[in-house]
């Protein structure tokens, strides 16, 4: 950084210096995952939600996906149960959810059910079996403030299905809503 000139007087009587960036003085800013590594000749590693081939691998169009390197993720609370869903009464009182069955995931609104299933498989051994099915439900408050459940979809670990590419953003999901997940091994 180099000063532009002598101290300048502000309208309130104080003084300050103005500075400008000198390209040779500062390294390039890291504007996203791997940008600095690429500028320095390194190899860019994919992040946890990125797949080889990008969105095209799942049949989606990459120009419809948000830029996750420039968008802040949010906390998604996923409550899983083996063999069945939780009852709606388990979510009746905010702060008294079944935390023993909770997974906390930082993700983006365009996350697909397949991506969520892959994350669940990392922590739940029952979801890793070739015949496992993961059934997702959305829990959100209605206009009166009472929680309601709606079906999101089902992902099978053994084969691809129609709900694999379904992003949360295509449902009624809003930040702060919960997911209930039934794992059928």
């Amino acid at each position: 950084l180099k000063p532009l000139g002598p101290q300048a007087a502000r309208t309130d009587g104080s003084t300050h210096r103005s500075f400008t960036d000198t390209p040779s003085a500062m390294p390039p800013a890291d504007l996203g995952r791997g940008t600095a590594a690429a500028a320095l000749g390194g190899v860019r590693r994919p992040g946890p939600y990125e797949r080889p081939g990008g969105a095209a691998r799942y049949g989606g169009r990459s120009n419809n996906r948000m830029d996750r390197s420039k968008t802040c993720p949010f906390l998604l609370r996923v409550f899983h149960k083996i063999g069945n869903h939780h009852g709606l009464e388990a979510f009746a009182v905010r702060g008294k959810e079944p935390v023993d069955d909770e997974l906390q995931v930082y993700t983006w609104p365009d996350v697909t059910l397949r991506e969520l299933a892959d994350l669940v498989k990392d922590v739940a051994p029952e979801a890793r079996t070739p015949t496992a099915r993961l059934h997702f439900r959305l829990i959100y408050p209605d206009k009166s403030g009472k929680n309601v459940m709606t079906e999101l979809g089902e992902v099978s670990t053994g084969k691809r299905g129609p709900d694999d590419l379904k992003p949360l953003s295509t449902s009624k999901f809003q930040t702060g809503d919960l997911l209930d997940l039934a794992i059928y091994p």
Side-chain angles (χ1 to χ4, degrees), residues 36-168:
L40 299 174
V43 177
R44 184 180 182 281
R45 293 184 347 180
Y49 291 96
E50 297 176 66
R51 303 279 187 247
R57 177 176 176 213
Y58 290 111
R61 284 175 269 149
S62 59
N63 59 353
N64 283 347
R65 295 185 57 100
M66 68 176 37
D67 186 354
R68 292 180 174 181
S69 67
K70 296 179 181 173
T71 306
C72 183
F74 62 89
L75 176 64
L76 176 63
R77 299 176 69 194
V78 181
F79 297 90
H80 65 91
K81 187 174 181 182
I82 309 302
N84 206 351
H85 281 281
H86 291 92
L88 193 54
E89 64 278 356
F91 304 98
V93 179
R94 195 67 159 179
K96 302 219 183 230
E97 295 90 359
V99 293
D100 292 339
D101 301 332
E102 181 178 9
L103 300 173
Q104 294 186 347
V105 179
Y106 284 91
T107 190
W108 295 266
D110 67 342
V111 67
T112 63
L113 295 183
R114 171 58 67 180
E115 288 174 311
L116 288 173
D118 289 344
L119 291 172
V120 170
K121 287 192 293 187
D122 289 340
V123 296
E126 301 84 7
R128 295 183 204 138
T129 64
T131 59
R133 293 176 299 120
L134 286 75
H135 191 263
F136 294 89
R137 287 185 180 170
L138 176 64
I139 303 166
Y140 63 96
D142 63 5
K143 291 180 182 179
S144 67
K146 180 181 157 194
N147 281 339
V148 293
M149 274 190 187
T150 59
E151 303 291 325
L152 276 180
E154 184 174 82
V155 174
S156 176
T157 57
K159 60 181 178 178
R160 301 286 180 204
D163 293 332
D164 286 5
L165 301 176
K166 184 177 184 179
L168 278 182

Side-chain angles (χ1 to χ4, degrees), residues 170-184:
T170 61
S171 67
K172 296 179 179 182
F173 179 82
Q174 293 181 1
T175 303
D177 292 345
L178 310 172
L179 289 187
D180 185 43
L181 171 63
I183 302 173
Y184 301 99

Side-chain angles (χ1 to χ4, degrees), residues 8-24:
R10 293 185 180 181
T11 56
D12 64 358
S14 64
T15 60
H16 74 284
R17 284 190 179 256
S18 297
F19 291 89
T20 183
D21 293 340
T22 304
S24 61

